[in-house]
Each structure stands twice: as structure tokens, then as C-alpha cells.
Amino acid sequence: MKKLVPVLLLLLAMFPALAQLKSETFITRYGNLDNTWYQISARKQATVAFLGGSITNMEGWRGKVGDYLARTYPATVFSLLNAGIPSLGSLPHAFRLQQDVLDKGRVDLLFVEAAVNDKVNSTPAAVQRRALEGIIRHALIANPHMNIVLMAFVDEDKMADYRAGKVPAEVALHEEMARRYQLPFVDLAKEVTTRIDAGEFSWKNDFKDLHPSPFGQEIYFNTIRQLLDSAFNRPAPRKVVAAKIPAVTDPFNYANGQYVDVHTANHLQDFVVDESWKPSDKVHTRPGFVEVPMLVSGTTAASFELPFTGRTVGVALLSGPDAGVIRYSIDGKPEQQIDTRTQWSRSLYLPWYLVLGDGLTTGPHTLKITTVSGSVCRIVHFLVNQ
């Protein structure tokens, strides 16, 4: 009995703190989900899209959310769109939103996740802002009745920031945009850190990794379910209400971001379009970035030009084992260069998105890209924001 007393005292001391760790604590409702609730309750039909990276694409919270909706509202027909692609963050999302989400049909509820890959990929802060704001504005302009949920998932860097008394930069941006555009925001990075520090579970043995274990996926799902339960636990609205879109925070945001076909390149010198590229080695690829048209260089110095109209231009290329430096110029200005290799290039044809020109004047421009002899450049899409 004496041995049990310290344990009981410890548990009693912990219970008040643990009782405060409700999922609702990590949800900030800058906006509601009333339009989605109308679609579910009145129209009995709703489309839910999930835009994110590998944590969205993998089996886990996304599938649980779909199962929860179908189980809880059996009279409603749900269409679920998985637009999660591993390794991709806000910059890729901004330029693929049209093709991968909006072109699929009307979306009623959009979950957006980018904070982990924005950190991992070292996406510049200004690009993150332009991309995330662009995603939101593009989606709401396309469908003002769409509800959007912003989420920040956890990684060890974010945990270190919170423990140092700082809000991680990616999380702060997500929350700022949620506040400005009146969207619900779910800070799962803070929740996991807080629960671990309260002794509920451990990172190493329970949550495991930034790609959560089944246990970790359940943590994510439980909080998202809390968001949905609270949002839908009220009388259904009588109609949908269009979003009021505020003034931009950055005039060069990527709200008009889109893919441009690689066939539009001209003046090809040792570049060809492979209509269904696939690797000749056993190096891994990503879904959507294999067996598709690709502008591919030879191994000698190669070049092409791209005429475009817009204020931003870039490329989505594959950074594989033979990637290297490219040189580029816009409108005949002095060349710049960038190394397209990444820390993952030796083992993966990684989709790698690069902004080559930003804040350009409105109107027509020409991008010229030249490769360095000995490396190969594979471009899947051009990125243009008008």
C-alpha cells in the first residue's frame, strides 16, 4: 500500500492538468462551417477535398474523417477527393489547386495542410505567404460558398519552437491567414507538443514520427472530429452564404496560379517532350509525376524558351540522381543559376517546385533555361501566376 501512495498522488496531481487538454483547446474558430452543414443537412450531398502532402495522402486521419462523415450522416452522399501528394507544400499546392482540386467539380469543404513540408522543403517565408494566401483566394473566388479548414501538423522542429516559447513560423502564418479570411484553424502541432509535455504519450514510442503512427493519426482525427461535431451540432442554416474576401496581404499572392503545359516551350535545343516519361532505373517516383508528358534535356548543354504572361513564373521539375544546375534568365536579363539537387535526389525523383521570377510586371515575358553539361533537367509543369 505504501508503494502505491506516491503513484496515486502523482496521478491526482496530473488529472487537473490532463482534464484541461481538450481537443477544443487547439481549435480556433475564426469562421464557421455553416455552408458545409447546409450541404449535408439540406442537399444531402457534399464534396470534401483534402489538399496536402504525405500526411494527408497516407492512410490515417483523412480516411477516418471520410468514414466518420459517412457513418454519422448516412442520408448524405459524400464525395471524397484525396489531393494529397507526398513532399508537396504550399508552393506546389497553389499552382496545382486548379488541376488537382477545382477542375474535379464543386468542393464544399477543403482541408489544407502545408506547414510540415514548408519547413522540410525550406520554402522561403515570402513564398509561403504568397502561396497560402493564393490557395485561399483562388478557392474562394472559384466557389465563394466553399468552407476551408487550415491545419498545422507537427514535426520535431515545431515542437522545439513551442518548447522555446516561440510559435513556429509556418504555424503563425497559417493562423494569420485563418484569422484574416475567417476560417477554422486547427493547431495539431501545438496539441501534440502539449500532450507529450503533459505526459499523455511520447513521441518516440507512441506518435513515432512526423508521419504519424496509427496512434498519432487517431490524435489528429479526434481533434478534426471535434471541429466537425461542434460545427454541425446546431440547426441547419436555411441557405449558403458567400464568403467576404478581404483585401490581400501581399499583392503578388498566387491566387491565379496554374500549371502551363510543357508543350508551350519553344526554341528547343537538346530538349524533347517525352509524352509518358518513366525512369530507366529503379529510383522511386511520386504519383502524378511519372508516365506523364515531360520536357527532358539530354546530357549536353541544352536550352529552351517559354513565352508566358504573368507576374510569377517557375518550374515543377523532377530532382533525381542526375539533376544538376540550371541557368535561367527572364526577358534577356543577366542569367542566374540554381542547383536543382536536393538531399533526397539520390533515392527519389522528387517533384521540386522552383519560383524563377516573382513580382514581375503585368504582361508578356520570356523565360530561358539552359542546363549544365552532364546533368539532366526534367520539367513536368511550368508555373505561371497572372
Side-chain angles (χ1 to χ4, degrees):
M1 181 67 180
K2 289 182 179 179
K3 293 182 178 180
L4 290 175
V5 170
V7 176
L8 290 172
L9 290 174
L10 177 62
L11 290 173
L12 287 171
M14 288 174 62
F15 279 147
L18 293 177
Q20 295 174 9
L21 298 181
K22 303 294 185 181
S23 293
E24 188 67 35
T25 305
F26 308 98
I27 299 169
T28 308
R29 299 172 186 276
Y30 295 114
N32 59 54
L33 301 180
D34 284 358
N35 287 349
T36 301
W37 183 218
Y38 173 84
Q39 303 295 345
I40 292 172
S41 58
R43 292 190 68 250
K44 306 297 183 184
Q45 189 172 14
T47 297
V48 183
F50 304 85
L51 180 66
S54 54
I55 303 171
T56 292
N57 181 65
M58 68 190 295
E59 289 302 317
W61 73 270
R62 174 182 51 79
K64 291 175 181 292
V65 168
D67 292 343
Y68 152 85
L69 290 171
R71 183 176 63 252
T72 308
Y73 307 101
T76 299
V77 176
F78 288 96
S79 298
L80 305 174
L81 174 60
N82 175 16
I85 298 179
S87 304
L88 303 191
S90 61
L91 172 60
H93 296 346
F95 287 89
R96 70 187 186 91
L97 176 67
Q98 186 67 49
Q99 173 184 288
D100 291 355
V101 177
L102 301 180
D103 285 349
K104 307 297 184 183
R106 190 197 76 238
V107 172
D108 302 302
L109 176 60
L110 175 66
F111 288 93
V112 179
E113 168 265 306
V116 168
N117 281 333
D118 278 354
K119 177 65 176 182
V120 172
N121 295 340
S122 300
T123 306
V127 172
Q128 286 186 43
R129 173 175 292 277
R130 291 174 177 181
L132 191 58
E133 184 165 30
I135 293 165
I136 296 167
R137 296 184 72 86
H138 192 163
L140 293 179
I141 290 169
N143 176 9
H145 299 142
M146 186 188 305
N147 287 148
I148 303 173
V149 176
L150 296 188
M151 305 174 296
F153 290 163
V154 71
D155 54 52
E156 290 182 280
D157 287 334
K158 291 178 178 56
M159 294 171 67
D161 280 346
Y162 273 123
R163 288 167 178 161
K166 300 184 296 183
V167 178
E170 299 81 14
V171 177
L173 176 63
H174 278 62
E175 182 160 16
E176 178 193 340
M177 289 298 155
R179 183 187 304 112
R180 183 168 187 82
Y181 287 89
Q182 299 185 336
L183 314 174
F185 172 65
V186 186
D187 190 349
L188 293 156
K190 184 176 183 180
E191 176 173 10
V192 171
T193 305
T194 305
R195 290 187 183 280
I196 288 174
D197 291 350
E200 289 191 29
F201 54 84
S202 75
W203 178 265
K204 180 179 179 181
N205 297 321
D206 301 307
F207 206 85
K208 304 285 189 183
D209 186 40
L210 59 83
H211 297 107
S213 65
F215 174 89
Q217 296 284 356
E218 192 70 23
I219 297 292
Y220 281 179
F221 165 64
N222 283 336
T223 303
I224 295 167
R225 178 178 59 188
Q226 171 65 24
L227 167 70
L228 299 177
D229 278 344
S230 297
F232 302 154
N233 185 24
R234 63 187 67 191
R238 296 183 178 182
K239 62 179 182 179
V240 293
V241 177
K244 295 180 180 179
I245 304 177
V248 299
T249 70
D250 189 323
F252 293 105
N253 73 83
Y254 306 147
N256 295 309
Q258 60 183 322
Y259 284 154
V260 172
D261 196 305
V262 293
H263 292 87
T264 59
N266 59 28
H267 299 118
L268 306 186
Q269 299 291 328
D270 204 24
F271 266 95
V272 296
V273 176
D274 185 331
E275 296 295 345
S276 184
W277 178 87
K278 58 184 177 181
S280 57
D281 51 27
K282 296 183 179 180
V283 176
H284 294 293
T285 59
R286 291 292 194 220
F289 296 85
V290 63
E291 298 183 345
V292 296
M294 207 168 297
L295 184 62
V296 183
S297 76
T299 56
T300 60
S303 65
F304 68 84
E305 293 184 1
L306 174 74
F308 70 95
T309 300
R311 300 184 299 173
T312 305
V313 67
V315 290
L317 51 76
L318 290 191
S319 178
D322 52 2
V325 172
I326 61 172
R327 302 194 305 270
Y328 64 95
S329 65
I330 298 173
D331 299 335
K333 294 180 180 178
E335 276 191 328
Q336 301 180 63
Q337 70 177 37
I338 189 168
D339 193 339
T340 68
R341 291 168 291 195
T342 74
Q343 60 180 306
W344 306 280
S345 294
R346 295 182 64 181
S347 59
L348 173 66
Y349 285 102
L350 177 71
W352 199 238
Y353 287 63
L354 299 170
V355 173
L356 303 180
D358 214 354
L360 304 174
T361 57
T362 302
H365 301 280
T366 300
L367 168 70
K368 182 176 181 179
I369 288 181
T370 305
T371 67
V372 173
S373 183
S375 63
V376 176
C377 180
R378 298 177 179 87
I379 297 175
V380 194
H381 304 287
F382 293 115
L383 315 176
V384 173
N385 180 64
Q386 295 187 351

